[in-house]
Amino acid sequence: MAELGLRPMPAREAREVADVMRDVFRAATGTQDVTGFPGTMAMTFSRRHSHQVRNLDYVFLEKSDGTRYFLFWFQGDAFLIDRRCLVYSLSGMLNLRSPLDREKPLEVTLLDGELCKNLKLELYEYLVYDAIAINGDLSIAKRGYRFRLRAVDQQVQLPRMLDPETQGAMRVRVKDTYEKSEINLLFGRIMKSGSGAHDYIYENHRRPDGPMRNHNDGLIMTPVHLAYPYKTHEGLLKWKPSKLNSLDFLMRLTKKQTVRDRVERTDVEITLFYQADNHPCRMRSIRLPWAVREMFVADFDRYNNSIAEFSYDIGAGEWMYLRQRDDKDKANYHNVVIDTLQSIAENISLRDVHQLLLGGPPEQCGQDGPRLRIENAAIDNGREWFSQSGDRFDATTPVSVISPPNRNLRTANGDRVSANGPPRNFSHHGRGRGRGR
């Protein structure tokens, strides 16, 4: 994990932690056949979804460009679990205590969110957008979405805001949610950054726990009355600007010899696969620029049989390589591929989203929220997002960004742990628990 400089736990210990996490997930959601990473996955928004989003109770979130993890708190230890079910120990970096008795640790807690860099504070934060279990309450997953986030706020986020034990610890924050009447406010907080690789920034300077500023690549539309779903669900939707729509494919390479500039060179043929129910399924062969193919040849073992992210260039009619997805071990499933291709073909802009969901273009729908500064939007010339100044003095200094004093941090069980010391080893035998010291 490059973000926090952590190494995955040993395979045996990681399996034990992941098995306990899945047991908690089964008990909380009532899902019996739980395999792999059970986190829910949003489907791509298309025009066929507009009626359900417009007429049902939905809330909106900005889609941060971060890395997804489960945050699992179990018997006084904290772990991040990625989509490959690699487990990272946060021992000495995060303590979660009971909001009623600060001397006691929280009971078992399982949160869903992403590790994202706060560009204002230049540090990584864990942004929570859903919850499966909190403080031993396994009924959380079956409650409504507003209730789930409110429980995270009251039992995890608020108790940590002014707790001196959070000094120097990893920040855990609840993501901003917006009602339909506030959608203009959400749009106004997403701005063009002009940084190339990350084109858009989400900013909110009005939070009591300090400013939020991170890279953004779209919107999430969440049905309020939906219990936490297992993996994909038609009701949970995401939208990205057309040029940011992408898919994760299994990429297989085949070496071949070719002549370039009258010199025989090693080249590669590239074939993309999506995930069918039980096996990868061939989609098509593609041809990428020579510089990319040369990179694949130079480090063949890394790129062959790997998961890579591609976007589709509508003008060129070809797939473009974006990056490796080292956090995933499977390609997108066939239903995700079909939905994303439909969204790319429909080419839904932000103006279209506004029209589909609120019944009119942005400049005609300001009565339910702050009127947008349309003169700065330049929507018709390809800039999908609205632009609004976010430069304000940051009056709030969260306690967790203050360096810890010259003392050892306490764990949830009262042990002293060096703030910069290595994570403790986790040992879990059967369903009991032991801890190596």
Side-chain angles (χ1 to χ4, degrees), residues 113-345:
E114 56 195 331
L115 201 59
C116 199
K117 188 174 184 180
N118 187 318
L119 303 176
K120 200 74 173 178
L121 304 175
E122 290 297 320
L123 54 81
Y124 282 93
E125 306 171 324
Y126 185 77
L127 305 183
V128 182
Y129 50 69
D130 216 330
I132 297 97
I134 300 178
N135 200 17
D137 184 356
L138 302 184
S139 69
I140 292 287
K142 296 181 181 179
R143 304 295 294 268
Y145 187 67
R146 290 191 185 97
F147 183 94
R148 298 200 297 272
L149 285 194
R150 187 163 59 247
V152 180
D153 183 43
Q154 294 173 351
Q155 299 192 54
V156 179
Q157 178 173 261
L158 287 179
R160 301 184 77 246
M161 279 181 58
L162 299 177
D163 186 347
E165 292 295 331
T166 67
Q167 289 185 334
M170 188 181 78
R171 306 183 76 202
V172 178
R173 312 175 78 187
V174 180
K175 292 197 70 169
D176 297 328
T177 58
Y178 296 83
E179 302 295 329
K180 289 181 184 177
S181 61
E182 300 172 314
I183 194 169
N184 284 351
L185 178 61
L186 168 58
F187 291 165
R189 287 176 172 169
I190 300 174
M191 290 157 283
K192 183 81 172 175
S193 71
S195 60
H198 302 281
D199 286 332
Y200 304 103
I201 298 290
Y202 172 80
E203 279 192 323
N204 181 6
H205 293 257
R206 295 178 177 267
R207 291 177 58 112
D209 59 348
M212 183 172 285
R213 176 182 169 87
N214 53 260
H215 293 297
N216 171 276
D217 62 357
L219 304 175
I220 297 291
M221 308 172 193
T222 304
V224 169
H225 301 294
L226 178 68
Y228 189 95
Y230 173 57
K231 297 197 174 178
T232 57
H233 191 281
E234 272 285 344
L236 182 62
L237 303 168
K238 64 181 178 181
W239 171 85
K240 291 183 177 183
S242 181
K243 68 176 182 180
L244 298 183
N245 263 318
S246 62
L247 284 165
D248 300 325
F249 292 111
L250 170 64
M251 181 172 64
R252 288 181 177 168
L253 309 177
T254 304
K255 288 184 177 180
K256 66 176 184 178
Q257 295 302 118
T258 186
V259 176
R260 181 177 177 83
D261 298 329
R262 299 183 180 181
V263 177
E264 187 174 6
R265 301 173 183 266
T266 301
D267 201 349
V268 289
E269 292 182 349
I270 305 163
T271 308
L272 304 182
F273 295 76
Y274 60 84
Q275 184 68 27
D277 286 337
N278 299 310
H279 59 275
C281 187
R282 184 183 186 278
M283 181 174 175
R284 58 167 294 182
S285 295
I286 64 170
R287 184 173 177 83
L288 296 176
W290 169 250
V292 178
R293 305 200 312 272
E294 197 172 32
M295 178 179 68
F296 292 167
V297 170
D299 199 352
F300 184 83
D301 290 339
R302 180 195 176 193
Y303 294 105
N304 185 35
N305 281 317
S306 67
I307 306 300
E309 183 178 356
F310 290 81
S311 65
Y312 189 76
D313 187 330
I314 296 178
E318 188 55 276
W319 291 95
M320 298 186 301
Y321 172 79
L322 297 179
R323 58 172 175 161
Q324 291 299 111
R325 291 303 305 265
D326 295 328
D327 60 324
K328 300 184 70 173
D329 60 1
K330 283 187 179 180
N332 285 139
Y333 276 84
H334 54 92
N335 53 345
V336 176
V337 173
I338 292 171
D339 270 12
T340 304
L341 290 176
Q342 180 178 351
S343 178
I344 292 172

Side-chain angles (χ1 to χ4, degrees), residues 39 83 274 281 359 410 420:
R83 286 187 280 197
Y274 60 84
C281 187
R410 284 192 306 165
N420 298 316

